[in-house]
Amino acid sequence: MTSDLATKFAKIVVTDDRGRYVIPDLPKATYSLWVRGYGLVDSPKRQSAPGNLVDLTAVPAPSAAAAAEYYPGMYWYSMLKLPDKSQFPGTGDQGNGIAEVMRTQHYWIDTLKNSCQSCHAPGSKGVRTLSKDLGTFANSTDTWTRRVGSGQAMSNMALTLSRFGASKALSLFADWTDRIAAGELPFEKPARPQGLERNVVISTWEWGSQKHYLHDAISTDKRNPTVNANGPIYGSPEESTDLVPILDPVHNKAYEIKHPYRDPKTPSSQDLPAGPSVYWGDEAIWDGHTSIHNPIMDEHGRVWFTARIRPAANPDFCKAGSDHPSAKVAPLNESARQLSMYDPKTGKWSLIDTCFTTQHLYFAKDDSDTLWLSAGAPQSGVVGWLNTKMYDETGDEAKSQGWTPIILDANGNGKRDAYVEANQPLDPAKDKRVMAAFYGIQPSPVDKSIWGQSMDVGFSRMDQPGYIIRLTPGPNPTETALSEIYLPPDESYGSRGVDVDLNGVVWRCCRAGMSRASIAPSARGRSTARPRPPASIARKAGRSTACRGRNSRT
């Protein structure tokens, strides 16, 4: 590790069976070198420079507790006790303390991993121990109650606790940290890297700010991975700031550019309620207006962001009464986040107003370079897109965009026609709208289908394990798009993200590992995904092997 460069830089390598190591491609600097490993404590640091031979001596841990301090956080996180399966469904505050929306243990695990783990590192030192700076309380449950009221994310944490049943969840977190404080250690020990794992080389740079967090990063265009070769990497800091962090991995430099917004009334995360932090006191460290969630790079090296550029109220062309083709089908009154594009060659930003809320985004491999965007939350019930070729040629953000409701071919005639709304009963002569929304979104490289993964489809407050949705746009997506829905097994709880490989196989990350939805676009048949309403009214295609069997995990 070195601090001699423009940003703090480190490389991590693994020794072979004889303890030999090599650290390749080091920039010129003075480095600190030491040995770290499972069953060890850090060895004394040695100073050296590239080109030198340095012998290091490993230091065995003096105790199991000392060794465990170096375990990955997941080993400590696994010590958290879960409510037994017999305690579900929850019976509320007047019953077992578990919220009634928790229908099975899978719902609890999904909420823990999708809501808590997705933002925090629960097994890390700062989470598995309770800081004395939180104050003095009668017990650890009260200390945890104070802890989750910290910072500008306190409202989100309160919402998650309400889904668990706050008293039950806080008591389990308190039990976890109490047992660790009393000396209990993880029940498993991590193994030393084996086989090809010995060849790993990890390069790390410190970029961004201590007060900001990094949500996503992008370095190239997946359709052509030579785009931006060795060029800068762009990050998205979401609610924490309007400053986009950028890393130059060749010159080991980090810098920032400011993301603009169109309307001065665009809300800021400074407006979020905040509790005092043990790290920052009463300082509200987030001040993001643009809520920059997800970046993607196009074939020209331009960077597109899902970002907020204005308050939520939509312009008139999005609403009922507009002559916009999509507004005639599914008028939208609000969007929480819109779209932007940064051109590194010119240093200019384009702010693009979308009627639909944006969350993640990906380019289709088509003549229009269509950018498909997910909405995240299911309230809008639409999937949106931007014809970037048209936008580049005309600059017309209204004409270049469109969106479609998610419609199932419930009457089975193979085309989209009149449909009933999501809150209306099935009509055997009509199709059916579903108030779902994609979280992850991926166009298929083998056909024109668009795949999405939905964490919560709005049929109840919680509907794990989430759906996989295949959308076939048709010639005029606003009016012709049809969708198919697949329901993975409960064991694949925690759906968060989706990708499609070059063979058209859909991969969805889930909390049991990875799942593969082997749904070939040319194979029509019956899905083995377990159906339940509204999946049972979808026309099934192929087979879903999500999180089932050895070949479905990686």
Side-chain angles (χ1 to χ4, degrees), residues 23 29 39 82 107 123 176 204 226 301 318 375 379 395 464 475 493 511 528:
I23 306 177
L82 304 176
Y107 284 51
W176 176 55
T204 67
T226 63
C318 308
Q379 286 83 357
Q464 285 91 340
Y493 48 77
R511 301 307 182 185
T528 60

Side-chain angles (χ1 to χ4, degrees), residues 458-489:
F459 296 104
S460 65
R461 286 185 60 193
M462 304 177 68
D463 206 335
Q464 285 91 340
Y467 291 169
I468 300 173
I469 304 176
R470 180 181 190 266
L471 183 142
T472 305
N476 177 17
T478 295
E479 297 182 354
T480 60
L482 277 174
S483 297
E484 298 166 342
I485 284 182
Y486 301 86
L487 181 65

Side-chain angles (χ1 to χ4, degrees), residues 111 143 252 271 325 377 381 391 402 505 536 543:
T111 303
T143 310
N252 305 293
D271 301 329
Y391 179 76
V505 177
S536 58
R543 58 189 177 88

Side-chain angles (χ1 to χ4, degrees), residues 313-443:
N314 274 342
D316 289 342
F317 80 84
C318 308
K319 302 176 182 178
S322 166
D323 60 0
H324 191 286
S326 296
K328 291 180 179 179
V329 174
L332 299 173
N333 293 325
E334 291 187 344
S335 61
R337 189 187 285 117
Q338 297 80 42
L339 185 61
S340 68
M341 184 265 286
Y342 175 71
D343 188 343
K345 294 178 181 178
T346 64
K348 293 182 178 179
W349 287 90
S350 298
L351 304 182
I352 304 162
D353 203 347
T354 60
C355 300
F356 47 87
T357 292
T358 65
Q359 183 93 349
H360 296 97
L361 68 174
Y362 231 102
F363 284 98
K365 200 169 184 177
D366 60 21
D367 293 338
S368 299
D369 279 337
T370 305
L371 184 60
W372 287 87
L373 300 108
S374 72
Q379 286 83 357
S380 66
V382 303
V383 179
W385 63 88
L386 182 79
N387 182 327
T388 63
K389 182 178 180 181
M390 180 186 293
Y391 179 76
D392 284 339
E393 292 173 350
T394 67
D396 192 323
E397 61 188 7
K399 290 184 178 179
S400 301
Q401 69 176 277
W403 60 95
T404 179
I406 296 176
I407 307 297
L408 304 182
D409 185 17
N411 61 15
N413 66 0
K415 64 179 182 178
R416 180 166 140 185
D417 36 36
Y419 57 85
V420 296
E421 291 292 338
N423 59 355
Q424 296 175 330
L426 279 171
D427 183 330
K430 295 182 179 181
D431 291 338
K432 172 73 172 177
R433 183 178 183 183
V434 178
M435 289 304 288
F438 292 1
Y439 179 79
I441 189 166
Q442 282 288 329

Side-chain angles (χ1 to χ4, degrees), residues 49-73:
N52 295 333
L53 291 174
V54 181
D55 291 330
L56 300 169
T57 302
V59 180
S63 64
E69 289 298 317
Y70 295 86
Y71 290 0

Side-chain angles (χ1 to χ4, degrees), residues 109-188:
I109 297 172
D110 180 30
T111 303
L112 177 67
K113 294 190 172 186
N114 237 330
S115 188
C116 302
Q117 182 182 319
S118 63
C119 290
H120 301 281
S124 60
K125 183 75 171 181
V127 179
R128 68 176 186 258
T129 58
L130 292 174
S131 171
K132 294 180 179 179
D133 292 335
L134 288 167
T136 302
F137 299 91
N139 52 58
S140 295
T141 299
D142 290 347
T143 310
W144 266 95
T145 302
R146 159 67 183 87
R147 176 187 237 183
V148 296
S150 301
Q152 291 159 280
M154 59 178 294
S155 296
N156 281 339
M157 290 188 280
L159 176 61
T160 296
L161 285 170
S162 70
R163 289 174 174 171
F164 282 129
S167 59
K168 183 68 174 181
L170 290 169
S171 68
L172 291 175
F173 290 136
D175 169 74
W176 176 55
T177 49
D178 281 348
R179 287 186 286 112
I180 291 172
E184 187 174 332
L185 300 177
F187 48 83
E188 291 284 349

